[in-house]
Each structure stands twice: as structure tokens, then as C-alpha cells.
Amino acid sequence: MTEASDAAQADRTLKARHRVMWALGDYQSVASHVIPDLGAVLVKECGVQRGDRVLDIAAGSGNAAIPAALAGADVVASDLTPELLEIGRHLAAVRGATLEWREADAEHLPFADGEFDVVMSCVGIMFAPHHRPAAEEMLRVCRSGGTIGLINWTPQGFVGRMFATMKPYAPPPPPGAEPPPLWGEEEHVHELLGDAVTDVDSRRRTVRVDRFTGPTDFREFFKACYGPTVAVYRAVAGDPDRVAGLDAALDALAAEHTVDGVMEWEYLLLTAHRRS
């Protein structure tokens, strides 16, 4: 095999692993019960209007795509994991939303240059392992003057720290893969977007999470429902000491971030316009 074909095969293997990981557990429960309004926040900040052609990258089960469709936009929800798209189709039907669902890799989008008025992602594109190709694709499919909108967890916030807590228990990442919470760093995202955008507005906000009765409730929920957490626990399942260590670490983190039964999870909200 040539070096190029080796790299292509490695990428296919990596993306297959990502598909499996996000199909684990019950991500829809996380989207619906923990952060149900986050997608609608992004839709509002992007100024989505009736008739806009909108792409939601790494849409999952449609946390942002469905509100955009309900606002009257012509929406495509793309994601690497077909199981999440199928859930999204059902949710859209229940809510009376009409949109297109497409299986697609954020790093290799099957759309034309400048096809969309709004290109957005709500805690989705950040999990593409190679940040620059994903950013380049996001920019490519957005028309001149169109809107780019992103919500991503910050490294310093709860979810970013959760990934740091799980890292010692997880298998090592493949060569070249970048940490997802980097998308929550203003400087990193500004560098990815570069001169291709203008009117950049980035703000740190928090989402209120009051779904959990305590640290153990949080840990057990994520252990059962959140694909990355499920995958880490599977990786250490044969070592009771490591399982107990991960349990304790996540409990301590949740306790640190809970005040009167409420957690505040920090994210970076960024909007910009594609430079003409």
C-alpha cells in the first residue's frame, strides 16, 4: 500500500471508531434532559430566518437542526453516526419539523462550495479528530457573507474538565487527533478560521444543569448515556481498581461543580460572517 492509501485506511478506521462511540449509550437523553435548550440558543444567535439554507454539522439527533427547521429554514442535519440521525428523524416528526438528514464526515462534507447561508454546530464539530480539515470544510460550504455559528465546551468548564478527568483512563488517542475542548478556546478557533471570516463575536456563557440529584446520579447517568464516557468505562471494565478510581474522580469533579443542586457548564459561543 502507498503512504496515501495507508493514511486513508487509518482515517476510515478512526471514523468507524467514532461512529461506534457516539452510538453507545443514549445521547438523546443527554441532549433532551441535560442541555435541551442549547441548540435553540445557537439558532437564535445565528439569526436563522425563514428561507435560509442551513447546515448543522455533527448534528447528532438535531438539538440545533430541529429548532432551525421550526424557524422556517431549509435545514440539512449532517452527522457521522446514522443511529443518531434516525433518532433525529423521529424527533423531528414528533415536533412537526421538516428537514434533511445526511450521514456525513465533518472533515469531508458532501456539499457544494458556498451552498449554505448558515453553517453551525452545537457541541458537535469539536469532536472531529482533526480540527483544521473540519474548519476548512465548514468555511468551504458557507456562502460569502453567510453566517458561521458555534457552541463548544471550554477546556476550563465542567465538560472540558470531565474529558481531562477521563483521559488517564482512556486508550491513547490516535496520532494527529486533537483534544475536543480546544474548540472552546477563543485563540484556537480564531486561528482555525483565520482571515476567512469577519465580524467575529465570541463570548463565554454557561448552561444551567439541574437534572442531577448529586454527583453519583450524574456519574451513573453519564456512565450509561454519554458515548465517550461509556467507551472509557468499557476500556477499564476488566480492572475493578481503575473503575473505582474513575468513579471517584468523576464524583469529585461533579461535587466541585455543584452548588445547591445546580451545575453551570461553560461553553464558548462564537458567530462570524464568511468573508466575501
Side-chain angles (χ1 to χ4, degrees):
M1 295 179 71
T2 66
E3 184 175 338
S5 61
D6 285 346
Q9 180 57 48
D11 187 66
R12 286 192 292 270
T13 300
L14 174 59
K15 300 303 170 52
R17 286 173 52 190
H18 272 240
R19 287 188 188 93
V20 170
M21 179 181 72
W22 286 106
L24 295 173
D26 181 9
Y27 182 74
Q28 175 50 31
S29 288
V30 179
S32 295
H33 301 304
V34 182
I35 52 170
D37 300 322
L38 204 56
V41 168
L42 183 58
V43 171
K44 179 181 178 181
E45 293 293 333
C46 287
V48 172
Q49 301 179 42
R50 181 171 299 278
D52 281 346
R53 177 78 167 153
V54 176
L55 174 64
D56 186 6
I57 298 175
S61 52
N63 205 20
I66 292 173
L70 291 173
D74 175 13
V75 180
V76 178
S78 69
D79 198 274
L80 190 66
T81 305
E83 290 88 347
L84 295 181
L85 296 175
E86 190 57 37
I87 294 169
R89 288 187 184 95
H90 172 73
L91 293 173
V94 169
R95 297 183 63 182
T98 300
L99 62 157
E100 180 181 354
W101 301 86
R102 290 283 298 275
E103 184 176 342
D105 180 351
E107 299 175 17
H108 304 282
L109 293 172
F111 307 111
D113 296 357
E115 183 173 340
F116 297 95
D117 301 301
V118 178
V119 180
M120 62 183 183
S121 184
C122 183
V123 296
I125 198 172
M126 65 184 293
F127 294 103
H130 308 112
H131 295 184
R132 184 160 299 283
E136 289 174 349
E137 282 291 271
M138 177 175 62
L139 292 166
R140 180 183 65 78
V141 301
C142 185
R143 68 166 175 83
S144 295
T147 300
I148 299 288
L150 298 166
I151 284 179
N152 293 309
W153 303 120
T154 67
Q156 301 83 7
F158 177 78
V159 178
R161 291 191 60 192
M162 181 182 72
F163 275 94
T165 298
M166 294 191 300
K167 184 177 179 180
Y169 299 88
E178 297 172 271
L182 280 179
W183 277 90
E185 286 280 16
E186 290 95 332
E187 290 185 5
H188 182 69
V189 183
H190 291 177
E191 193 274 332
L192 288 173
L193 301 180
D195 294 334
V197 296
T198 185
D199 304 323
V200 178
D201 181 13
S202 56
R203 289 162 279 163
R204 291 188 177 223
R205 292 184 175 181
T206 61
V207 59
R208 176 187 173 96
V209 176
D210 57 7
R211 159 68 174 72
F212 305 110
T213 59
T216 301
D217 186 29
F218 158 78
R219 183 238 304 161
E220 288 301 315
F221 181 88
F222 265 61
K223 200 172 178 177
C225 296
Y226 191 58
T229 307
V230 177
V232 173
Y233 270 100
R234 287 191 176 187
V236 299
D239 188 335
D241 290 339
R242 286 175 64 75
V243 172
L246 182 53
D247 282 349
L250 289 176
D251 285 357
L253 179 68
E256 179 185 345
H257 283 261
T258 302
V259 178
D260 296 330
V262 175
M263 307 171 85
E264 297 284 346
W265 294 4
E266 185 182 68
Y267 62 87
L268 177 69
L269 167 66
L270 183 144
T271 57
H273 290 119
R274 183 74 164 91
R275 191 179 294 277
S276 299

